[in-house]
Amino acid sequence: MQGRPAIVDPVARLLAGYRPISGVPDELFGADGEVRPVWSTLIEAIANMSPEELAAGQARGDQYLRDAGVFYRQYGPQDAAERDWPLSHLPVLIAEDEWHEIADGLIQRADLLERVVADLYGDNSLVADGYLPPALVADNPEWLRPLVGVTPRGGHFLHFVAFDIGRGPHGEWWVLGDRTQAPSGAGFALENRIATSRVYADHLSQSKVHRLAGFFRTFRDALIGMREHEDGRVGILTPGPMNDTYFEHAYIARYLGFMLLEGDDLTVRDGQLMVRTVDGLSPVSVLWRRLDSAWADPLELDETSALGTPGMLGAIRSGSVTMVNALGSGVLETRGLLAFLPRICAEVTGAPLKLPNIATWWCGQASERAYVKANAQRMTIGSAYATRHLFDLDEVSAVAGAFTRPLDMTVEDWIEARAGQLVAQEAVTLSTTPAFEEGTLVPRPMSLRVFLARTRDGWQVMPGGFARIGRTAGSAKLAMQQGGSAADVWVVSPHDVPAETMLATASTPYLRQQPGVLPSRAADNLFWLGRYVERAENLVRLLRAYHLRLAEAPKEASPLVAHLETYLAELGADPIDGLPEGLVDTLASASTAADNIRDRFSVDGWMALDDLSKTVRKMMRTARPGDDTALAMGILLRKISGFSGLVHENMYRFMGWRFLSCGRSLERALSLTALLATFADPAAPDGSLDLAVEVADSHMTHRRRYAVATNRATVVDLLALDPLNPRAVIYQLNEIAEHISVLPGSELHRQLSPLQRAVLQARTDLAVETPETLTSATLTRLGDEIASLSGHIASTYLR
């Protein structure tokens, strides 16, 4: 009789291959070699999942990130590309009591940095009393002289900060770097949480993990509370779509309900920062900047900046705007400052740093320089003025910033020659945390970024954060540019935690908020997005008609095919080029316009446009003339229609939707007038009228409306003069007139604006025509009138 099979503990089986690195602290296992209590419940839950269940959960998390369009921008030698967000599927777990110690230390550090930056731009007593070397401040490019003596409105320089921390060799937490310039990652932390909740949906719903929404709600309310007047706006200032963390800027703006602004959206009038909107200038009272200080004002800071707003410093001096964080606060990120913070803390607070920072030596002092020379082999040496530390999203390495010494110099001579320009830091051995690799748990180095927001009650620490996970066990490279990944951070409580949301507690009857203002740049991009998508649809319909007829007869035997080929070439879409560059470029322009207003797009709409772009790239490689391309154009047409439907059906019927719709209507009216002028001309080849009806997608309507065969009168009447046909020119002009009638400056009983007069003129000129009088020359002249409406819209609203 055979013995019973051995019972294998699922947890033991899961952890069988996990081997912590000798001498390196590990987040999963404590110093006693046992699993830390905070991990036990999650590890048990994972151990009881089948491999298929675990893989399905991880796939759900990845699918969410793809559907949400989460990306980071990876910079290569020649260009930058959007890459999928590299989620590490296992979160980092920290017990609530340990987190409280971390939070307490970081709050102390945030208060200390506030006092330091206030002194650097105020009394400068730290330098005068010998606590900071003058050169470290005066020669620092992040110390902005034009802001010396300027006290921020509200009195605080810092409102939102982050700290990169890591666990030291004896289990203690160390600060690796201070992020005070424009800290990134908070939005990604939120997306990590949502994606990870998909992976462990059953477990997380029953766990006692602190939620993140309360942190964002409190900071949103704090920003709103910073406004000087109720009519002041809160905006988020972004460098633009090419920034590596632009997705986060758009995501946070949408999540908090604030305007996403670029430098060109803003102007300064009489010391007041204003945003250009379709309704004129509107005051901006609070600006959360996500670009470095030096780029903010080309008049007084970096004159080469194309990202900032001239006069921004003047608005700050006048006290009309609160900047989050204050311009010049990036000086606190200077690596050399870390060497002096412990002593400064003891001096200004009377207590040591609760969380020590990484040991740092400034080489401008003789004794420190000698020590660095003697121990250079176990240190990282770099610029004292560098501001990039571990954990930056755009950092190429977790090494603290070493730079190359000349080959003909010894390390000692190099240190002596550069002296005050150099700083040395101890080489950090980061703790490891478990991560999945091909279904197996392995230890990987990690560090955390923790976020703090200033509220009315002081600093609030996000109960979680953003973890950077190394690619290999022995690698110090944590950045995504080098293959690192990102993980959620769970702060686990022994007690039930509140179910936080972004909604404030109702204390008064609900009042519907009025829609926000629409910046002119956003309106411009929406207008042109509507035009580009409609233009692409028109080209696709024309190309499908061409290739269907080409499959029946070569152009040498078909005057209509040759005529259509010439027409397409005039539109920049010569069909002999395969998938014409004109179509590809038009869709690329649509994507660029959409990218500039990503905060105003639904996730489904964005994914539909992305899918459209991918389809076009695939067709460029595979489509062949004739039936094959005609079929491909049909697929592309359905995808374009799907995108248009998602955007137009889901978009809130306010100003943005009206500019998008105006762009679409104007482009459709233009394409129809050109189509009729060319293919309803008496000299056009046989079959041209049927082609015009087909391209205008009005075959069924024509059959129902007219009992006679296709002739010029019926086609011109249906596609130009019928106000009930959405594919008629007059219908689109009526649509434009309706949209313009509710835009700013179009109130009743006012004198007509030049735009209103131009629309009325075009509508009247068309309405008085008949199919007999609407000749090709008249249609061409009408097309010129319609085209001029674009300039009128731009001069009225898009300046």
Side-chain angles (χ1 to χ4, degrees):
M1 180 177 177
Q2 293 183 343
R4 293 181 179 180
I7 298 176
V8 179
D9 178 9
V11 173
R13 183 174 62 244
L14 176 67
L15 301 178
Y18 191 86
R19 298 287 184 270
I21 302 171
S22 178
V24 176
D26 187 78
E27 297 301 316
L28 177 58
F29 287 97
D32 58 1
E34 299 295 326
V35 174
R36 296 179 191 266
V38 69
W39 284 87
S40 58
T41 304
L42 177 61
I43 291 297
E44 184 176 351
I46 296 173
N48 287 304
M49 293 181 184
S50 68
E52 294 76 18
E53 290 173 329
L54 181 60
Q58 293 175 348
R60 285 194 300 271
D62 292 338
Q63 186 63 48
Y64 165 77
L65 293 170
R66 286 192 295 270
D67 289 346
V70 184
F71 73 92
Y72 72 101
R73 196 172 297 282
Q74 186 176 51
Y75 297 100
Q78 298 179 337
D79 57 6
E82 293 181 5
R83 302 298 185 195
D84 290 340
W85 187 249
L87 177 70
S88 179
H89 297 107
L90 195 62
V92 175
L93 273 60
I94 299 178
E96 184 183 67
D97 56 350
E98 185 175 20
W99 189 258
H100 285 326
E101 294 179 10
I102 293 172
D104 192 37
L106 294 182
I107 289 172
Q108 180 210 38
R109 193 174 186 91
D111 283 331
L112 173 65
L113 293 180
E114 172 71 34
R115 296 177 69 169
V116 170
V117 71
D119 180 78
L120 293 179
Y121 288 100
D123 295 338
N124 213 10
S125 60
L126 291 174
V127 171
D129 295 341
Y131 293 99
L132 274 176
L136 200 58
V137 177
D139 295 340
N140 195 323
E142 294 296 337
W143 185 63
L144 304 181
R145 293 177 186 272
L147 286 157
V148 172
V150 178
T151 301
R153 190 180 76 185
H156 296 297
F157 286 78
L158 303 178
H159 308 88
F160 191 86
V161 298
F163 299 99
D164 299 329
I165 64 174
R167 195 185 291 275
H170 302 296
E172 74 281 19
W173 288 95
W174 290 42
V175 174
L176 307 174
D178 305 308
R179 310 308 297 153
T180 57
Q181 175 78 270
S184 58
F188 289 121
L190 190 58
E191 286 287 41
N192 286 343
R193 172 60 56 87
I194 298 173
T196 305
S197 70
R198 301 290 200 275
V199 180
Y200 306 104
D202 293 337
H203 175 76
L204 186 59
S205 63
Q206 302 172 9
S207 65
K208 298 173 181 178
V209 177
H210 283 275
R211 283 19 178 194
L212 304 181
F215 172 83
F216 288 97
R217 184 190 68 245
T218 304
F219 186 50
R220 178 198 63 191
D221 295 344
L223 290 176
I224 293 173
M226 292 178 195
R227 297 178 303 168
E228 190 171 23
H229 305 290
E230 286 194 4
D231 62 344
R233 304 284 176 175
V234 180
I236 297 177
L237 181 62
T238 175
M242 292 308 295
N243 184 263
D244 56 340
T245 57
Y246 176 73
F247 169 84
E248 184 195 25
H249 306 168
Y251 178 79
I252 286 289
R254 187 166 55 238
Y255 186 67
L256 299 182
F258 296 145
M259 295 183 295
L260 185 65
L261 304 171
E262 294 183 26
D264 284 345
D265 291 326
L266 299 166
T267 187
V268 177
R269 295 287 187 274
D270 299 324
Q272 172 71 58
L273 186 66
M274 313 287 282
V275 56
R276 296 183 176 93
T277 78
V278 297
D279 197 12
L281 297 178
S282 181
V284 176
S285 189
V286 180
L287 197 60
W288 184 5
R289 66 178 176 88
R290 301 303 301 272
L291 80 166
D292 289 355
S293 298
W295 302 108
D297 187 344
L299 283 183
E300 297 194 59
L301 299 174
D302 190 328
E303 63 182 13
T304 66
S305 172
L307 303 176
T309 303
M312 179 77 78
L313 264 64
I316 292 173
R317 290 192 190 96
S318 72
S320 68
V321 63
T322 298
M323 186 71 77
V324 179
N325 290 323
L327 294 181
S329 56
V331 67
L332 297 172
E333 297 184 359
T334 305
R335 193 175 298 142
L337 186 63
L338 294 175
F340 303 93
L341 278 181
R343 185 184 173 203
I344 292 173
C345 182
E347 172 61 24
V348 302
T349 70
L353 286 170
K354 295 179 181 179
L355 284 185
N357 52 243
I358 180 175
T360 306
W361 296 267
W362 181 57
C363 295
Q365 297 165 302
S367 59
E368 282 77 4
R369 186 163 62 251
Y371 182 81
V372 171
K373 289 180 182 179
N375 297 274
Q377 70 282 358
R378 60 182 184 86
M379 294 181 176
T380 299
I381 304 174
S383 170
Y385 303 112
T387 59
R388 298 303 184 194
H389 300 273
L390 294 152
F391 201 69
D392 276 0
L393 297 180
D394 58 350
E395 188 71 39
V396 297
S397 170
V399 175
F403 51 15
T404 306
R405 62 180 172 86
L407 295 177
D408 59 347
M409 294 181 70
T410 65
V411 173
E412 291 77 9
D413 290 342
W414 176 59
I415 293 173
E416 189 65 38
R418 300 294 295 267
Q421 301 177 46
L422 296 178
V423 70
Q425 293 180 308
E426 66 175 322
V428 177
T429 300
L430 297 171
S431 65
T432 56
T433 192
F436 281 108
E437 186 174 284
E438 298 181 356
T440 302
L441 283 182
V442 293
R444 291 292 179 260
M446 73 95 190
S447 66
L448 304 183
R449 175 164 287 189
V450 186
F451 302 91
L452 283 72
R454 186 183 294 281
T455 72
R456 293 173 180 173
D457 301 320
W459 291 105
Q460 181 170 326
V461 181
M462 180 191 290
F466 182 100
R468 299 293 290 118
I469 311 297
R471 185 177 182 180
T472 60
S475 174
K477 296 181 178 180
L478 306 182
M480 289 179 292
Q481 303 286 345
Q482 294 292 309
S485 57
D488 190 15
V489 178
W490 290 6
V491 177
V492 184
S493 173
H495 313 291
D496 292 334
V497 297
E500 299 278 8
T501 71
M502 288 295 289
L503 299 176
T505 302
S507 57
T508 58
Y510 174 76
L511 291 176
R512 180 185 299 139
Q513 267 191 329
Q514 293 301 306
V517 299
L518 179 66
S520 298
R521 179 185 56 84
D524 189 28
N525 281 287
L526 286 164
F527 176 73
W528 278 100
L529 176 63
R531 292 199 63 175
Y532 286 134
V533 172
E534 183 63 30
R535 188 178 300 175
E537 180 181 333
N538 180 56
L539 290 176
V540 168
R541 290 184 182 278
L542 287 165
L543 286 165
R544 183 174 66 171
Y546 171 85
H547 286 282
L548 283 172
R549 286 157 178 78
L550 184 65
E552 297 173 357
K555 64 180 179 180
E556 293 80 11
S558 173
L560 179 58
V561 172
H563 192 55
L564 181 52
E565 182 177 298
T566 300
Y567 182 70
L568 281 164
E570 291 173 352
L571 295 178
D574 195 332
I576 66 173
D577 296 336
L579 196 66
E581 287 188 10
L583 174 59
V584 176
D585 291 344
T586 298
L587 286 170
S589 296
S591 293
T592 299
D595 206 17
N596 288 330
I597 45 173
R598 200 162 188 153
D599 59 312
R600 297 179 180 273
F601 260 93
S602 70
V603 171
D604 288 336
W606 181 258
M607 294 304 295
L609 184 59
D610 185 60
D611 181 54
L612 185 59
S613 300
K614 291 177 181 177
T615 301
V616 170
R617 288 194 292 270
K618 182 178 179 181
M619 288 178 178
M620 290 181 68
R621 300 190 299 268
T622 60
R624 296 186 300 275
D627 283 333
D628 186 54
T629 298
L631 179 62
M633 291 299 103
I635 295 172
L636 197 57
L637 181 60
R638 288 189 288 275
K639 289 182 179 290
I640 292 175
S641 299
F643 169 74
S644 297
L646 278 170
V647 171
H648 284 276
E649 289 303 315
N650 296 340
M651 210 170 171
Y652 188 70
R653 273 14 182 200
F654 194 55
M655 296 300 177
W657 173 77
R658 295 194 182 279
F659 279 96
L660 182 74
S661 299
C662 277
R664 182 173 73 163
S665 291
L666 189 148
E667 191 66 36
R668 182 172 291 182
L670 278 175
S671 66
L672 285 168
T673 54
L675 182 74
L676 289 171
T678 301
F679 293 97
D681 188 272
D686 289 343
S688 292
L689 292 173
D690 287 324
L691 182 142
V693 175
E694 175 189 329
V695 171
D697 195 24
S698 296
H699 256 314
M700 293 181 63
T701 305
H702 188 276
R703 287 198 194 101
R704 288 197 302 267
R705 290 277 286 115
Y706 307 100
V708 298
T710 305
N711 60 57
R712 185 182 187 279
T714 61
V715 171
V716 172
D717 182 57
L718 180 64
L719 301 186
L721 301 172
D722 191 336
L724 300 181
N725 181 18
R727 295 282 176 176
V729 179
I730 191 68
Y731 182 95
Q732 299 305 326
L733 289 177
N734 290 339
E735 288 283 293
I736 293 172
E738 180 182 347
H739 291 308
I740 289 174
S741 70
V742 294
L743 291 180
S746 300
E747 295 84 357
L748 289 174
H749 312 302
R750 286 189 56 170
Q751 182 178 354
L752 293 180
S753 68
L755 171 60
Q756 288 175 301
R757 285 196 293 270
V759 173
L760 179 60
Q761 183 69 58
R763 291 172 69 199
T764 304
D765 288 347
L766 178 59
V768 299
E769 298 288 347
T770 67
E772 293 76 18
T773 61
L774 201 54
T775 64
S776 294
T778 304
L779 285 163
T780 300
R781 187 179 68 251
L782 178 65
D784 292 339
E785 282 189 71
I786 295 171
S788 72
L789 298 181
S790 183
H792 283 294
I793 290 173
S795 62
T796 305
Y797 296 111
L798 310 181
R799 293 172 293 178

